[in-house]
């Protein structure tokens, strides 16, 4: 047997850990090759005289490695499933954002328009110059507020299917000065990112020109910072997008450099988050199947290995109860050998009977271990032991 030496334990642990990591990263073939290598090594060891119990220990390691790989695959699919759930939530957030934009336009815009009209009326009918000046300032402020609300509404009202070009055109139509270099890629997530950046520019630096530069899947958005400057903390929308980009393996950085606000993002491919209800439901079904497979597949592997081992172990090593009952202490070796199977049982738990003893099985499943012991000394049978529980 292996003796549970520390090197064997470390090697077995390494195989299990590597299989788990392979499952988490979706690398099926390296895991299959590794397990096949373990099986080949175990077969070579048995062919060179390693005892059968050690081979069974090797098979237990293989079963644990399969379980570890399936557990890793389950965790990976569950993570992808959760990300799809968040993607659906973000898509719902976009729809809610468009609804809020419409409500903002219909309510706050209407109220500000009424305020501007009332200020204009007061400016005309006021009896003194000071009141007319105050009314003019109120009218100018309300008109500026109306313009700001309309720009923000136009930028908020971005449909989930809009592309980058549509976002840029909408911003220009809202009155923003946007200079574009490079070719905008067709990407929904990038459209969301550009929309969020332009919305921040309209909110924190109204009236300033914005430069948007595209280079493949890299985008750089720059606008001057007004004297009061934008808040140091990023908005929640930009923070959520940055977290999404980093989880997908990209990068997003936003800072102030030389009086300008600068946003640089590297968007990895395949980051579009709205994959539809079909993919979400399919992912949920895959999670359930993988969870069932994590439990059932190692059990099936164990049953297959045990059945294959049993078929090999009982072949030419099984003895019937009647045959063992026909043996007698003192009977000649030649007569006894004529009744015995062609080979001994490979698994033996009962030891200490001496070098002249032979072990045979009654066919017990799944190990088919040797529970019949026949001992010879010279040309005679000197001892018989029935390990099945029957009397000697």
């Amino acid at each position: 047997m292996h003796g549970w030496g520390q090197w064997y334990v470390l090697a077995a642990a390494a195989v299990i850990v590597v299989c788990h990591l392979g499952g988490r990263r979706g690398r099926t073939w390296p895991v299959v090759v590794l397990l096949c290598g373990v099986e080949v090594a175990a077969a070579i060891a048995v062919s060179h005289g390693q005892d059968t119990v050690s081979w069974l220990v090797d098979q237990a390691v293989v079963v644990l490695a399969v379980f570890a790989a399936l557990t890793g695959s389950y965790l990976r699919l569950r993570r992808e499933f959760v990300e799809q759930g968040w993607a659906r939530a973000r898509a719902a957030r976009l729809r809610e954002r468009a609804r809020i934009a419409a409500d903002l336009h219909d309510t706050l815009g209407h109220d500000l328009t009424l305020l501007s009209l009332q200020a204009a009326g007061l400016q005309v009918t006021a009896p003194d110059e000071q009141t007319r000046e105050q009314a003019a300032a109120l009218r100018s402020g309300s008109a500026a507020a109306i313009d700001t609300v309309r720009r923000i509404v136009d930028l908020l009202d971005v449909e989930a299917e809009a592309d980058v070009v549509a976002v840029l055109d909408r911003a220009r139509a809202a009155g923003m000065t946007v200079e574009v270099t490079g070719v905008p890629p067709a990407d929904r997530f990038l459209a969301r990112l550009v929309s969020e950046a332009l919305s921040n520019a309209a909110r924190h630096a109204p009236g300033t020109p914005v430069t948007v530069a595209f280079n493949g899947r890299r985008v750089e958005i720059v606008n001057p910072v007004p004297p009061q400057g934008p808040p140091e903390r990023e908005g929640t929308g930009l923070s959520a997008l940055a977290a999404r980009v980093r989880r997908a393996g990209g990068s997003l950085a936003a800072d102030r450099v030389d009086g300008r606000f600068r946003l640089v993002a590297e968007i990895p491919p395949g980051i579009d988050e709205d994959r539809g209800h079909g993919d979400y439901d399919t992912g949920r079904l895959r999670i359930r199947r993988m969870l069932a497979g994590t439990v059932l597949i190692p059990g099936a592997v164990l049953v297959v290995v045990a059945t294959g081992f049993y078929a090999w172990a009982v072949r030419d090593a099984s003895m019937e109860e009647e045959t063992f009952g026909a043996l007698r202490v003192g009977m000649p070796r030649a007569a006894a050998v004529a009744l015995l199977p062609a080979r001994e049982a490979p698994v033996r738990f009962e030891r200490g009977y001496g070098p002249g003893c032979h072990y045979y099985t009654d066919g017990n499943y799944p190990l088919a271990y040797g529970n019949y012991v026949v001992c010879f000394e010279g040309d005679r049978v000197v001892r018989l032991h029935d390990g099945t529980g029957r009397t000697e």
Side-chain angles (χ1 to χ4, degrees):
M1 185 161 175
H2 295 297
W4 294 104
Q6 64 176 6
W7 293 113
Y8 180 81
V9 174
L10 290 175
V15 169
I16 293 172
V17 170
V18 169
C19 288
H20 177 75
L21 295 177
R24 294 204 69 164
R25 289 166 172 76
R27 298 176 180 175
T28 304
W29 282 112
V31 171
V32 172
V33 171
L34 176 61
L35 294 180
C36 289
V38 172
E39 288 288 4
V40 170
I44 293 175
V46 169
S47 66
H48 283 73
Q50 177 180 276
D51 61 277
T52 309
V53 175
S54 296
W55 182 83
L56 292 175
V57 173
D58 296 336
Q59 302 314 301
V61 171
V62 170
V63 171
L64 289 176
V66 171
F67 178 77
L70 291 173
T71 301
S73 297
Y74 167 75
L75 294 176
R76 173 177 55 84
L77 291 176
R78 184 177 181 275
R79 183 181 66 248
E80 294 175 356
F81 177 71
V82 170
E83 289 182 356
Q84 287 187 16
W86 280 110
R88 294 184 67 185
R90 283 189 288 270
R93 178 174 174 266
L94 276 179
R95 292 190 294 270
E96 183 67 10
R97 186 174 174 177
R99 187 191 64 79
I100 292 174
D103 291 344
L104 184 64
H105 180 272
D106 294 339
T107 57
L108 184 57
H110 178 69
D111 293 340
L112 288 174
T113 301
L114 291 179
L115 178 61
S116 179
L117 291 175
Q118 291 172 354
L122 181 61
Q123 183 182 3
V124 173
T125 60
D128 57 275
E129 184 65 24
Q130 182 179 3
T131 302
R132 284 195 293 272
E133 290 178 356
Q134 292 176 348
L138 179 60
R139 180 185 178 186
S140 176
S142 60
I146 291 172
D147 185 57
T148 300
V149 167
R150 286 175 177 169
R151 281 191 306 224
I152 293 176
V153 165
D154 285 338
L155 290 174
L156 279 173
D157 190 16
V158 178
E159 298 295 334
E161 298 299 325
D163 58 12
V164 180
V165 175
V167 171
L168 295 172
D169 291 343
R170 187 183 292 271
R172 292 190 182 99
M176 294 187 69
T177 302
V178 182
E179 180 182 349
V180 179
T181 60
V183 179
D187 187 282
R188 275 203 307 265
F189 183 85
L190 190 57
R192 287 195 57 207
L193 179 62
V194 172
S195 174
E196 188 70 31
L198 294 178
S199 178
N200 288 340
R203 184 165 59 250
H204 300 302
T208 60
V210 180
T211 301
V212 183
F214 297 98
N215 183 9
R217 299 191 65 82
R218 183 180 186 274
V219 60
E220 180 178 353
I221 303 173
V222 180
N223 63 274
V225 178
Q228 67 274 18
E232 293 294 335
R233 183 176 64 86
E234 294 180 355
T236 56
L238 192 58
S239 298
L241 292 177
R244 171 67 179 170
V245 170
R246 295 186 187 107
R247 281 197 302 270
S251 63
L252 190 152
D255 54 10
R256 283 191 281 185
V257 180
D258 298 332
R260 300 181 303 165
F261 184 79
R262 180 171 175 265
L263 184 148
V264 180
E266 291 278 355
I267 308 301
I271 196 175
D272 290 350
E273 63 274 76
D274 187 11
R275 300 176 184 175
H277 296 272
D279 287 348
Y280 183 80
D281 295 336
T282 300
R284 183 167 56 184
L285 181 59
R286 289 177 64 196
I287 289 292
R288 292 175 178 174
R289 289 176 177 174
M290 182 56 68
L291 180 59
T294 303
V295 177
L296 298 178
I297 292 179
V301 171
L302 185 60
V303 169
V304 170
V305 170
T307 303
F309 173 79
Y310 177 78
W312 169 77
V314 299
R315 184 175 60 85
D316 297 332
S318 178
M319 180 186 294
E320 298 294 335
E321 179 183 352
E322 294 78 8
T323 303
F324 184 78
L327 298 172
R328 295 290 182 269
V329 174
M331 99 184 273
R333 174 189 284 268
V337 169
L339 298 176
L340 296 178
R343 68 185 182 95
E344 296 185 56
V347 181
R348 307 163 192 175
F349 294 134
E350 301 189 37
R351 299 183 183 273
Y353 289 97
C357 296
H358 303 268
Y359 301 82
Y360 305 96
T361 181
D362 67 338
N364 55 85
Y365 184 85
L367 298 180
Y369 63 90
N371 49 10
Y372 288 133
V373 183
V374 181
C375 299
F376 296 96
E377 185 174 334
D379 293 332
R380 298 287 175 179
V381 176
V382 296
R383 186 172 183 180
L384 298 172
H385 174 69
D386 184 355
T388 64
R390 292 181 289 271
T391 306
E392 290 189 14

